[in-house]
Amino acid sequence: MTPETPPPLDRAAYMDLTDDPVQQRLLRKALEVFRQGGGGPVLKELAQEVLAGRVGLREATRIPAYAEAVLDQGHEFRTRWDSMPDSEREALARDGERQVAEERARMDAERVGRGRL
């Protein structure tokens, strides 16, 4: 396995949040960023617990310390978002759409490679 392709995870850890495989994969990648510390120590622990399958993501956000860290991260993002010029917001939105399209194309290519369409 390469860093780009994380090991399989029981999707039950986050599948109740979305049934879109692309969104699930991007959510998994975000959890990997948090597991590496990209969100602080509490979100790192949350991601470790979810990725290890010890707790589902929805359940984890009901744990007060995790919920507070998620909310704090959301507030920080909202503050940065509100201070951005419209052109920067639009660029970020386009980048997000590009990432979703690339992930969808990657997943389609994987399906074709496995002989499934």
Side-chain angles (χ1 to χ4, degrees), residues 14-33:
Y14 51 82
M15 68 188 283
D16 64 333
L17 299 178
T18 178
D19 59 358
D20 180 348
V22 172
Q23 290 180 359
Q24 289 176 350
R25 189 176 281 190
L26 292 172
L27 180 56
R28 169 66 187 257
K29 287 181 178 186
L31 287 168
E32 291 289 347
V33 170

Side-chain angles (χ1 to χ4, degrees), residues 8-114:
L9 170 70
D10 179 4
R11 289 183 9 207
Y14 51 82
M15 68 188 283
D16 64 333
L17 299 178
T18 178
D19 59 358
D20 180 348
V22 172
Q23 290 180 359
Q24 289 176 350
R25 189 176 281 190
L26 292 172
L27 180 56
R28 169 66 187 257
K29 287 181 178 186
L31 287 168
E32 291 289 347
V33 170
F34 286 146
R35 180 166 65 178
Q36 299 302 317
V42 177
L43 290 179
K44 179 179 181 176
E45 181 181 307
L46 177 150
Q48 289 170 334
E49 293 298 306
V50 171
L51 291 171
R54 289 187 286 270
V55 65
L57 185 55
R58 188 177 300 272
E59 180 185 356
T61 60
R62 292 186 185 120
I63 297 169
Y66 295 159
E68 184 177 336
V70 169
L71 288 173
D72 288 347
Q73 193 79 7
H75 290 302
E76 287 178 32
F77 174 80
R78 181 60 191 238
T79 299
R80 286 193 312 265
W81 182 263
D82 288 344
S83 68
M84 285 180 195
D86 288 343
S87 60
E88 195 172 340
R89 287 187 205 144
E90 291 167 5
L92 283 172
R94 282 191 305 274
D95 186 50
E97 291 167 358
R98 179 191 52 77
Q99 287 178 22
V100 169
E102 287 175 358
E103 197 62 47
R104 193 167 308 283
R106 218 178 342 268
M107 290 181 77
D108 288 346
E110 289 171 6
R111 261 193 302 274
V112 168
R114 290 189 306 259

